[in-house]
Amino acid sequence: MTSSGLGYSADIHKINSYGKENLEEILHVIAETSNRLTQQNRCRIYLEDLTSGSLSCAMATGLNNEELQNYSFPINSSSYPVSSVYASQEETSLEDTTLSRRYNCELESRFQIASSYMLPILRENRAMGVLCVDSGRHQLPTDQQRRDLVAFMTQVATTLDQARKYHQQLLLARQVDQQKKREAAFSMMKSAVRLVDNLSLASVLIPSPKSADSDEEGLQILASYSQERDDRKVYEDEQLISLSKGESLLSRYIADNGIIIDDRFLEPMYIPNLQSEDLQKRYLTEQLGLQSLYVVPRYEASTKRILCVVNYYTDKSYTFNEFEQRLLEAHAEMAERVIQEIGGEHMEIQVLAEINDLLQERFEGLQPFLSRVLSKATELIGADTGSIAVVREQEDGRWLVVEDASDTLIGAKSKEWRKKNIPPIRIGGYELPPDQRSLTGYAAHSSHTQLIVNTDDIKDQGGFYLDLANNIKSELAVPVISEDKVLAVICLNSFRSYYFTEEHKRILQIVGRMISRYLADLQQIEALTGEVQHLRSDVGYKDPSISSYKLGNIIGNSEKAKQMVKFIQTVTPPIFSRLASWNQKNIEEATLGLPSILITGDTGSGKEFLFNNIYSRLNEMYQTQLNPRSELPVKKSNIAAYSGELTYSELFGHKRGAFTGAHTDRKGILEEAHGGVVFLDEIGDADPKTQVQLLRFLDNGGFVRLGDNTTRYSRVLLIAATNKNLHQLIQEGLFREDLYHRLSELTVEVPSLNERRDDIADLSIHFLGKLYRVYKRGEDPNDTPALSVAAQQVLKEHHYQGNMRELRSILLRALFFRQGRVIGPGDIRRALESAPASEAAAPIGNVTEKTANTIFTAIINDQDDFWSAVYAPYSAHQISRDVVATVIHLARERGASTMPRIAAMLKACDPRSDNDNERKTFYKFKNFLYKTIRIT
């Protein structure tokens, strides 16, 4: 690619990543790129439409863009410049459209297009359209700009052509469906004339917009029948009956939005003398001789919106008897059903085929899959924009999320330029304040499809509508449900009131049902992948100057370190063999109970780190021997972070309504990790009920969700960790001895730092490298500051109460306040002296408090903020969850009693701001504390 081509390579990649259902998105990017390359702001894109024999304007930008899209050119004419460029496949420049003698430039003159560069859009040496770059100031693209535009269009032509053909296929399918409706309606009208002897003509009218961009409606003749063929032709000569006030007989009773405004029209109406009425179609009486009319309205009872109007005419003065009236009313009801139900079969088959093909594809993550689903749904139904929001559980309830605080898509958006910022949406019903209610939130809350036919009727009335774009007139929301749990909500919007029909609801519900299981699987895979990446980041970093790494990144040559390595090497092969046997449904294996490992050690010694290395080893075996494209399931939890029913729910799950806040059914981590590994930290803090259920689970894999009475089964390797003396807890009656024996079949102790002083030098270099990577500023050199031999010796001689956490804290202070590029013994001693009180003499629990105090003080004194001092170190595994929780506790002690006050005190954001970015940042802040840290 040329140097100038680098300016549009990203646009080419974006366009070619779209599917065939993304025609409008493709055209949008082409227009933007064309304007940027040519430094113009006006362009038109015409595409070949063989169904109409024309070149239709599919996209226009700049002055009069909407009006321009209503004009097309014939394919086979040489009179118009667009048609000529298409036929000749040669580009043309009109320097002054007013002076052109060769072409008819009436359109260019009307829309003040002074000059235009027209480029044929070619694929495989055949034209499929024309791109026009227009100017109102006689300014044409330069030679280089033209070359760039040709090169750009050449590389996106294939994708554009596929989308064009698909779009025309759908339009043709809709025309076929509409023709089926017409044929069925015609048969019904024909039967009516034959049903009652005195009927001379019958017709059925349906609501139809006056124009493509108008909210005003008229009534279109769908079908009519008369035994006199010429009468039918005359009747259908004027297809649209106006509903503007005073322009037709029916406009007395029906407004131009299709709503009945006179309650007399809620019942069938007999008009005995048409000649005395103000008719739009005067020829009904003057030419056809029609005299009386029995009109039957069919409408939605809740909105009074017309579905169809069935007219029964006579050519002589005649009064229908009661039997005939009831007969015609039943006939009109049948006509309505025919119109509503016939003709959608082709589209439903198309949906089934399209979504089924999509489910056969392989997607790299949840978001690309949702984007393709939304694009297909939007195109198939003809919506103007749409979104898919994913359900996220938080401590303060359930939310629908389309994009996160950094504008990264979590769900999906269609034609995103029409619906740019979608904030997190709260799930709920009438218990929510009016300003938090939304249609999508209510759809997720109720687990049912919801529809707003006219947003103007519901705005400012406390209804379930969240106004995100002023031009949205109707909205359709369908929940995606798997195993009675709402996973997401598909939302489609139209710029026309009353756009969405029962057929549209049915199609979108089909889409929701078809993708639900696949979506549930993708969410589970994505959650697992995130957890595995988190684990890998812990075992992945290696400092090139250290030679004592073992297995993943267990450091050291001390005897204690070697014992940990040997334990992993010894137990992982047979345990993996056990895990692999679960795929074979071995009955004898199931009677042996589930495998377990108990990890003991002081606080901060690295128990979770050891678990990460055990899992990493098992996952390598899993990918090598069973499934190279997947990850071994894994879940982690801290028992001390919960209490009572919440602990039980975290492990075993719950049924909806099992306790306050249980808004939906939920799987526990032991069920979610079926076939894999679960890590339970602080097992010594488990309450008696949890201990009983854990023992039962380890014996046979059986468990019951909270609030349920169904026994379920799961197979996992349970790895538990504790810093407590379980033997002492057993003697005190606080821990079950039988559970201890089940957990401790395989036990490994993580030594304290004081027991492995020979490893402290390498551990210090390792931690220093990780810390420097996290805190390095842009102008800092890439190389980590060196740790002198004398400084290493000071660290080796220090007595550690906080183990690895204390060592990291010392190194962090030394890194921040060092005197030069080399960290010497003086830097280490100052780091030790600057610790609150005496770190050496401090109780183990105080290390957490001191680290938290250091962070909190720096934030309060405006030396740091929440994201760099708390969020980044935690994400890089430099501080623990306990440290973060203690920082929050310190903020609360200072008077920050609510989440907004905590956010403000810790310099996370301004929660009172109306700025969208600040609101998203606050949401990210809450999500981190509630979901990751699990504060209460």
Side-chain angles (χ1 to χ4, degrees):
M1 185 175 291
T2 64
S3 58
S4 59
L6 296 175
Y8 52 80
S9 59
D11 301 305
I12 292 172
H13 176 75
K14 184 174 184 179
I15 289 172
N16 290 335
S17 68
Y18 282 130
K20 61 184 180 180
E21 60 278 349
N22 293 104
L23 178 63
E24 197 164 351
E25 286 90 338
I26 292 168
L27 292 170
H28 185 79
V29 179
I30 289 175
E32 283 188 334
T33 307
S34 171
N35 289 341
R36 190 175 68 252
L37 289 177
T38 60
Q39 298 180 359
Q40 300 284 354
N41 62 2
R42 300 179 68 180
C43 79
R44 292 169 286 153
I45 303 174
Y46 293 88
L47 295 180
E48 169 193 272
D49 183 355
L50 296 179
T51 62
S52 63
S54 65
L55 293 165
S56 301
C57 186
M59 170 65 70
T61 64
L63 191 66
N64 301 313
N65 63 310
E66 292 185 2
E67 203 173 345
L68 278 165
Q69 292 186 65
N70 295 325
Y71 290 84
S72 59
F73 292 102
I75 280 180
N76 59 351
S77 172
S78 60
S79 300
Y80 302 96
V82 171
S83 303
S84 178
V85 169
Y86 168 82
S88 66
Q89 300 188 20
E90 294 180 356
E91 60 187 76
T92 293
S93 293
L94 299 178
E95 296 184 10
D96 190 336
T97 57
T98 62
L99 300 178
S100 176
R101 297 181 179 179
R102 179 180 176 186
Y103 298 119
N104 181 339
C105 293
E106 180 183 346
L107 180 136
E108 285 75 12
S109 175
R110 177 177 178 179
F111 291 104
Q112 301 171 11
I113 299 173
S115 60
S116 183
Y117 167 67
M118 300 183 180
L119 174 69
I121 305 173
L122 304 175
R123 184 195 177 194
E124 296 178 353
N125 297 318
R126 183 185 176 281
M128 60 171 164
V130 177
L131 170 62
C132 305
V133 179
D134 301 327
S135 172
R137 303 188 305 273
H138 302 284
Q139 183 178 346
L140 291 170
T142 65
D143 290 344
Q144 182 59 53
Q145 289 171 345
R146 296 181 192 188
R147 285 193 293 271
D148 286 343
L149 198 56
V150 170
F152 168 69
M153 290 305 301
T154 300
Q155 295 187 66
V156 301
T158 298
T159 302
L160 174 60
D161 195 31
Q162 290 171 346
R164 177 190 67 86
K165 290 177 179 176
Y166 177 73
H167 180 72
Q168 290 187 9
Q169 175 190 341
L170 287 183
L171 291 179
L172 188 59
R174 292 192 185 110
Q175 291 174 16
V176 169
D177 287 343
Q178 188 67 11
Q179 185 59 35
K180 285 184 179 180
K181 288 182 186 292
R182 288 184 183 278
E183 291 173 359
F186 174 78
S187 296
M188 289 299 299
M189 296 306 100
K190 184 176 182 180
S191 69
V193 173
R194 294 176 175 177
L195 201 60
V196 178
D197 290 339
N198 288 292
L199 281 182
S200 57
L201 187 147
S203 68
V204 58
L205 317 177
I206 59 173
S208 178
K210 280 190 171 182
S211 61
D213 56 351
S214 174
D215 260 349
E216 291 188 16
E217 291 188 339
L219 290 175
Q220 181 187 31
I221 300 172
L222 180 64
S224 69
Y225 180 78
S226 172
Q227 290 182 345
E228 299 294 332
R229 182 172 296 182
D230 290 342
D231 288 358
R232 177 189 168 201
K233 185 177 180 181
V234 171
Y235 179 81
E236 293 188 358
D237 185 56
E238 191 174 354
Q239 277 281 317
L240 193 68
I241 298 171
S242 174
L243 291 177
S244 297
K245 189 173 181 180
E247 291 192 5
S248 68
L249 172 63
L250 292 177
S251 67
R252 298 179 194 171
Y253 311 103
I254 308 171
D256 60 9
N257 61 0
I259 303 295
I260 296 175
I261 53 176
D262 187 330
D263 285 354
R264 289 179 297 174
F265 202 64
L266 297 176
E267 299 291 338
M269 182 174 290
Y270 175 62
I271 300 172
N273 186 3
L274 287 173
Q275 291 180 344
S276 64
E277 302 291 342
D278 293 328
L279 301 178
Q280 175 183 334
K281 296 186 172 188
R282 293 304 315 171
Y283 54 81
L284 292 179
T285 57
E286 296 172 356
Q287 189 171 346
L288 300 182
L290 300 178
Q291 291 198 18
S292 63
L293 167 65
Y294 190 65
V295 56
V296 182
R298 300 296 302 173
Y299 55 88
E300 293 176 346
S302 59
T303 63
K304 299 183 182 179
R305 174 168 170 77
I306 285 291
L307 299 174
C308 66
V309 174
V310 187
N311 296 322
Y312 302 100
Y313 294 95
T314 67
D315 57 5
K316 64 183 72 173
S317 181
Y318 180 77
T319 301
F320 296 100
N321 61 42
E322 185 176 349
F323 170 76
E324 290 172 329
Q325 290 179 17
R326 300 289 84 79
L327 195 63
L328 292 178
E329 289 164 21
H331 181 271
E333 181 183 357
M334 180 63 72
E336 176 210 332
R337 291 181 60 185
V338 164
I339 295 169
Q340 294 289 318
E341 296 177 11
I342 290 181
E345 302 90 343
H346 183 280
M347 190 57 67
E348 289 187 17
I349 292 171
Q350 180 89 2
V351 170
L352 289 168
E354 294 278 344
I355 300 300
N356 186 62
D357 288 346
L358 198 63
L359 295 176
Q360 308 308 312
E361 296 182 28
R362 180 176 175 82
F363 292 92
E364 296 300 325
L366 176 65
Q367 198 281 319
F369 170 70
L370 293 179
S371 291
R372 289 291 305 279
V373 169
L374 181 62
S375 296
K376 285 189 179 295
T378 305
E379 181 76 353
L380 287 165
I381 289 177
D384 290 303
T385 184
S387 60
I388 298 180
V390 178
V391 176
R392 289 285 186 261
E393 301 272 355
Q394 294 189 27
E395 292 294 325
D396 59 345
R398 293 187 301 156
W399 294 76
L400 289 170
V401 181
V402 176
E403 50 196 338
D404 65 15
S406 59
D407 293 329
T408 301
L409 275 178
I410 306 299
K413 289 199 293 187
S414 174
K415 304 168 189 175
E416 64 270 14
W417 64 91
R418 292 176 174 166
K419 206 174 180 182
K420 290 185 178 179
N421 297 314
I422 304 178
I425 295 172
R426 191 154 200 163
I427 295 173
Y430 287 98
E431 76 280 2
L432 295 179
D435 62 345
Q436 293 186 17
R437 296 176 186 172
S438 67
L439 194 72
T440 51
Y442 190 55
H445 171 75
S446 64
S447 299
H448 288 95
T449 297
Q450 303 295 333
L451 172 64
I452 294 177
V453 294
N454 188 354
T455 58
D456 290 335
D457 294 340
I458 202 167
K459 288 178 181 178
D460 305 320
Q461 295 181 9
F464 289 95
Y465 179 67
L466 190 62
D467 193 2
L468 296 176
N470 292 330
N471 49 357
I472 289 175
K473 298 299 183 182
S474 54
E475 184 165 287
L476 174 62
V478 172
V480 180
I481 303 171
S482 177
E483 296 182 356
D484 298 324
K485 180 179 180 181
V486 177
L487 306 177
V489 175
I490 309 173
C491 176
L492 297 185
N493 306 104
S494 175
F495 297 157
R496 279 177 49 197
S497 302
Y498 302 97
Y499 175 78
F500 297 110
T501 64
E502 288 298 318
E503 179 185 336
H504 293 146
K505 285 173 63 175
R506 190 166 60 248
I507 288 173
L508 202 58
Q509 286 167 341
I510 291 172
V511 173
R513 286 194 295 269
M514 290 186 72
I515 70 168
S516 60
R517 183 67 260 168
Y518 192 86
L519 176 58
D521 292 343
L522 271 181
Q523 285 184 324
Q524 186 174 2
I525 291 169
E526 194 158 273
L528 173 60
T529 303
E531 187 73 48
V532 172
Q533 288 175 347
H534 188 74
L535 295 177
R536 282 176 176 162
S537 68
D538 196 28
V539 301
Y541 173 77
K542 292 185 179 181
D543 191 291
S545 64
I546 298 175
S547 59
S548 60
Y549 286 112
K550 304 290 190 300
L551 287 180
N553 63 352
I554 296 177
I555 296 172
N557 290 314
S558 68
E559 191 59 36
K560 293 286 187 178
K562 291 177 180 178
Q563 288 174 7
M564 287 191 294
V565 171
K566 185 177 181 181
F567 176 85
I568 295 174
Q569 291 174 327
T570 302
V571 305
T572 49
I575 283 181
F576 175 75
S577 178
R578 179 81 186 277
L579 267 61
S581 71
W582 291 337
N583 293 322
Q584 303 168 8
K585 298 182 179 180
N586 188 325
I587 299 299
E588 182 179 352
E589 181 277 334
T591 65
L592 298 176
L594 300 181
S596 59
I597 296 175
L598 180 63
I599 302 175
T600 63
D602 294 342
T603 295
S605 58
K607 297 183 291 296
E608 186 172 353
F609 177 73
L610 179 62
F611 163 77
N612 292 346
N613 277 274
I614 293 173
Y615 171 80
S616 180
R617 182 75 168 172
L618 291 170
N619 193 41
E620 288 175 9
M621 297 177 181
Y622 178 81
Q623 293 183 325
T624 301
Q625 301 179 38
L626 290 183
N627 191 343
R629 293 185 175 182
S630 184
E631 309 280 0
L632 180 66
V634 60
K635 285 289 178 180
K636 299 166 73 172
S637 186
N638 189 317
I639 294 292
Y642 304 92
S643 61
E645 292 177 335
L646 293 180
T647 307
Y648 191 100
S649 170
E650 170 73 2
L651 299 183
F652 303 107
H654 63 250
K655 288 286 287 182
R656 179 178 182 177
F659 55 87
T660 302
H663 302 291
T664 184
D665 291 355
R666 179 187 181 277
K667 291 182 180 180
I669 62 172
L670 295 172
E671 186 175 357
E672 289 179 327
H674 175 66
V677 186
V678 170
F679 177 66
L680 297 182
D681 203 2
E682 309 294 356
I683 191 66
D685 291 319
D687 60 76
K689 182 179 179 180
T690 301
Q691 291 183 38
V692 170
Q693 293 301 319
L694 268 178
L695 179 62
R696 178 191 175 195
F697 176 73
L698 287 171
D699 280 343
N700 63 13
F703 64 94
V704 177
R705 292 180 185 175
L706 186 65
D708 197 4
N709 56 10
T710 302
T711 300
R712 305 168 191 269
Y713 292 89
S714 181
R715 294 280 184 270
V716 299
L717 163 65
L718 182 66
I719 301 181
T722 183
N723 64 345
K724 295 186 175 181
N725 186 330
L726 294 185
H727 290 291
Q728 182 178 343
L729 294 180
I730 291 170
Q731 292 175 0
E732 295 172 358
L734 300 176
F735 200 85
R736 296 181 64 98
E737 185 173 5
D738 46 6
L739 176 59
Y740 169 76
H741 291 306
R742 282 294 287 110
L743 289 171
S744 61
E745 291 176 344
L746 296 169
T747 303
V748 57
E749 181 181 7
V750 180
S752 68
L753 200 53
N754 296 320
E755 295 178 272
R756 45 185 305 202
R757 293 190 179 277
D758 291 345
D759 299 330
I760 287 176
D762 283 352
L763 287 167
S764 300
I765 294 170
H766 173 84
F767 288 137
L768 187 62
K770 292 188 74 174
L771 288 167
Y772 184 71
R773 282 176 50 179
V774 172
Y775 289 103
K776 182 175 76 70
R777 296 167 299 182
E779 65 271 20
D780 290 338
N782 291 327
D783 294 336
T784 304
L787 188 65
S788 72
V789 175
Q792 295 175 27
Q793 187 60 36
V794 174
L795 289 169
K796 290 171 68 173
E797 292 172 355
H798 178 65
H799 181 76
Y800 295 90
Q801 294 286 358
N803 293 295
M804 301 294 184
R805 291 181 186 141
E806 183 181 347
L807 176 60
R808 280 198 296 263
S809 298
I810 295 169
L811 290 167
L812 179 64
R813 290 193 293 273
L815 178 66
F816 278 16
F817 301 107
R818 67 187 186 276
Q819 300 291 316
R821 284 293 300 165
V822 176
I823 297 176
D827 296 315
I828 298 298
R829 291 191 183 97
R830 279 189 296 275
L832 289 169
E833 292 167 0
S834 64
S838 171
E839 206 151 43
I844 293 173
N846 283 358
V847 174
T848 294
E849 295 179 13
K850 289 169 183 174
T851 305
N853 264 305
T854 301
I855 293 171
F856 184 73
T857 302
I859 294 175
I860 294 299
N861 293 334
D862 293 326
Q863 297 171 351
D864 222 325
D865 62 32
F866 174 83
W867 302 107
S868 59
V870 178
Y871 183 82
Y874 177 81
S875 300
H877 313 295
Q878 306 307 321
I879 60 175
S880 68
R881 183 181 285 111
D882 293 338
V883 170
V884 179
T886 305
V887 170
I888 303 303
H889 176 71
L890 292 172
R892 286 171 170 167
E893 285 186 338
R894 287 283 191 99
S897 56
T898 64
M899 192 58 68
R901 291 179 178 177
I902 293 172
M905 182 176 287
L906 297 182
K907 314 288 192 301
C909 62
D910 180 4
R912 296 170 297 179
S913 173
D914 292 331
N915 182 276
D916 285 342
N917 290 331
E918 289 292 321
R919 289 168 62 187
K920 289 181 179 180
T921 304
F922 181 51
Y923 171 75
K924 180 180 180 181
F925 173 77
K926 289 195 302 179
N927 191 50
F928 172 70
L929 294 182
Y930 283 137
K931 195 74 176 174
T932 305
I933 305 303
R934 300 191 180 101
I935 67 166
T936 56

